[in-house]
Amino acid sequence: MHTPLCRHATGEPTAYAARARELGLAEIGFSDHSPMPRDDFDNWRMRFDQLATYVAAVEEARRNHPSLLIRLGLEVDYIPGQEAWIRHLSGLHPWDYLIGSVHYVADGWAVDDPSQLSQWKHRRPIEVWTAYFKRLTAAAQSGMFDIIGHADLPKKFGIVPTEDCSPLFETFLTAAAETGVAVEFNTAGLRKDCREIYPSETFARRMHAHGIRITFGSDAHAVEEVGASLEDAVALARRVGFTQWTQFSKRQSTSIPL
Ligand code: ZN
Ligand code: FE
């Protein structure tokens, strides 16, 4: 889940935690968009000098809601060439997990950015999906992340190739199985044009076939999105065969019966 530091979310962590307790959740996690080496990289993440403020806000939520498990994480953009920066970030705080996400498929183009929708007009959907999965596969291979975020994000606006995408999924999942990185069930897709969880059911079935470990997330950017459609994500995971999910604490994983 996110915080106002990323400039496109509302509500403090302690308010998200209060909502989680109302819903009867036992555990939540924060994974706001991590800073870039340059603060002017884009306008939808915290600045580097706000990292300590972010950690303090999550710690405040923990203090205010001691009965709730509150994990401290980051959603880190995987961009080839930034490995040293990502390793630097990973050592700065006692993170419970790092989510590796691909948003940027090319210099300056985040595939999920509504203000850059016109970029899709210059490329065929399969080219965009191929570029995206090439980076996602590298993110899985890097070994720097505990979880891969919203794995089929390019479907967000409902722009889906007519070609068969299964070779893209297979290459990514083979890499993920090799390094053991988990893949999340992220319900934000239900709130977007694609109207479906990330990953799709087809993708999720392949995840299960590869023995991928899973987590669940709402990707909440507002208090009312905390835990959104969690039951749908759990139902999808069960339907495709999963019987366990994975919990992360200080970057160590535990399997829990689903
Ligand atoms: Zn966000
Ligand atoms: Fe993301």
Side-chain angles (χ1 to χ4, degrees):
M1 304 192 294
H2 294 263
T3 82
L5 292 172
C6 68
R7 294 172 269 177
H8 62 278
T10 53
E12 289 299 326
T14 197
Y16 284 38
R19 176 66 185 144
R21 285 175 66 198
E22 263 172 44
L23 292 169
L25 298 179
E27 175 181 353
I28 59 172
F30 291 90
S31 52
D32 209 357
H33 298 285
S34 65
M36 286 285 182
R38 288 183 55 129
D39 286 329
D40 61 358
F41 183 85
D42 60 23
N43 62 359
W44 49 270
R45 66 188 63 253
M46 69 182 85
R47 299 189 313 261
F48 182 67
D49 69 358
Q50 292 174 316
L51 199 58
T53 308
Y54 167 63
V55 172
V58 174
E59 283 169 350
E60 189 196 349
R62 284 175 170 161
R63 275 196 304 279
N64 292 340
H65 303 279
S67 64
L68 186 63
L69 272 173
I70 303 181
R71 307 298 185 187
L72 173 67
L74 273 182
E75 181 182 4
V76 181
D77 278 75
Y78 177 74
I79 296 178
Q82 285 202 357
E83 289 79 2
W85 173 251
I86 296 167
R87 283 189 213 290
H88 175 60
L89 284 176
S90 70
L92 293 178
H93 290 279
W95 310 114
D96 289 310
Y97 55 84
L98 296 185
I99 299 181
S101 289
V102 173
H103 305 99
Y104 285 91
V105 292
D107 284 351
W109 181 28
V111 77
D112 62 327
D113 185 346
S115 75
Q116 293 183 297
L117 242 180
S118 66
Q119 291 277 356
W120 283 91
K121 292 196 190 112
H122 311 306
R123 298 167 180 89
R124 289 163 52 225
I126 190 67
E127 289 170 34
V128 179
W129 282 57
T130 302
Y132 171 86
F133 275 99
K134 191 176 172 206
R135 286 197 174 185
L136 201 72
T137 300
Q141 280 164 340
S142 74
M144 296 187 299
F145 306 113
D146 304 293
I147 304 165
I148 295 292
H150 45 58
D152 56 355
L153 180 69
K155 74 182 176 186
K156 175 178 174 179
F157 300 115
I159 307 172
V160 177
T162 51
E163 292 86 347
D164 178 17
C165 287
S166 49
L168 304 177
F169 302 161
E170 282 300 308
T171 308
F172 161 67
L173 291 172
T174 302
E178 244 165 53
T179 56
V181 69
V183 176
E184 66 162 353
F185 280 73
N186 176 325
T187 64
L190 290 169
R191 310 191 291 271
K192 312 295 184 196
D193 296 339
C194 60
R195 298 273 160 208
E196 119 186 336
I197 289 169
Y198 307 112
S200 68
E201 182 153 346
T202 310
F203 196 139
R205 284 191 190 285
R206 289 176 182 273
M207 281 166 54
H208 181 255
H210 281 269
I212 302 292
R213 299 181 305 158
I214 60 167
T215 62
F216 295 98
S218 61
D219 207 346
H221 284 67
V223 169
E224 52 286 5
E225 291 173 355
V226 173
S229 309
L230 175 63
E231 60 291 345
D232 296 336
V234 172
L236 172 60
R238 288 201 177 116
R239 194 157 68 238
V240 301
F242 286 100
T243 57
Q244 308 221 295
W245 62 282
T246 304
Q247 189 179 51
F248 287 93
S249 174
K250 303 276 166 59
R251 309 204 67 186
Q252 299 297 311
S253 64
T254 311
S255 287
I256 313 278
L258 186 58

